[in-house]
Amino acid sequence: MEKMKSLADQLREQMVKPGAKQESSKQNSTGKKAVKTEKQQKNDTEGAPILQVLTEYDNSDHKTMVHFRFDQQTVDFLNQFKIATGVDATKFVAYAVRQFIGAHPELKTIIKQFIQKSYL
């Protein structure tokens, strides 16, 4: 009787053992696909430097809201990205726009030239 373990007990023991991590593509003893926990998902994405930068990006002081329209594929991607990494779409878009403006300083020049012409 003491050697009989429930499936839950067996899974707990496997999760506690180091190196016995189940992948989502592997199946457990019931034949169902194993579901990754948030901790396992974070461990899988730690190697990617862009994810670390996005996670550490602080947009808590950003108060101004802007409404954008995206095509359905982009919205699906942003929703899936949030599920996979925990980085919400607001943070993702804020970081992406900041990087785009920084990578293309000619945009600031175009704006300055427009403002100077409009005041003349």
Side-chain angles (χ1 to χ4, degrees), residues 48-99:
I50 187 65
L51 292 179
Q52 183 177 2
V53 171
L54 275 169
T55 304
E56 293 172 355
Y57 182 72
D58 183 25
N59 65 341
S60 62
D61 63 336
H62 301 178
K63 302 296 181 206
T64 307
M65 298 277 293
V66 180
H67 180 80
F68 290 102
R69 295 180 187 267
F70 292 108
D71 61 291
Q72 190 60 44
Q73 286 180 320
T74 305
V75 171
D76 291 343
F77 171 81
L78 290 171
N79 289 335
Q80 292 170 355
F81 187 78
K82 178 177 170 100
I83 292 169
T85 63
V87 176
D88 67 339
T90 305
K91 184 181 275 195
F92 184 95
V93 172
Y95 177 79
V97 170
R98 173 63 59 194
Q99 291 299 310

Side-chain angles (χ1 to χ4, degrees), residues 92-120:
F92 184 95
V93 172
Y95 177 79
V97 170
R98 173 63 59 194
Q99 291 299 310
F100 184 79
I101 292 170
H104 300 282
E106 64 271 17
L107 294 172
K108 291 180 182 179
T109 306
I110 292 169
I111 293 169
K112 287 178 184 177
Q113 289 175 350
F114 175 78
I115 291 172
Q116 287 175 352
K117 287 179 184 177
S118 65
Y119 284 124
L120 294 176

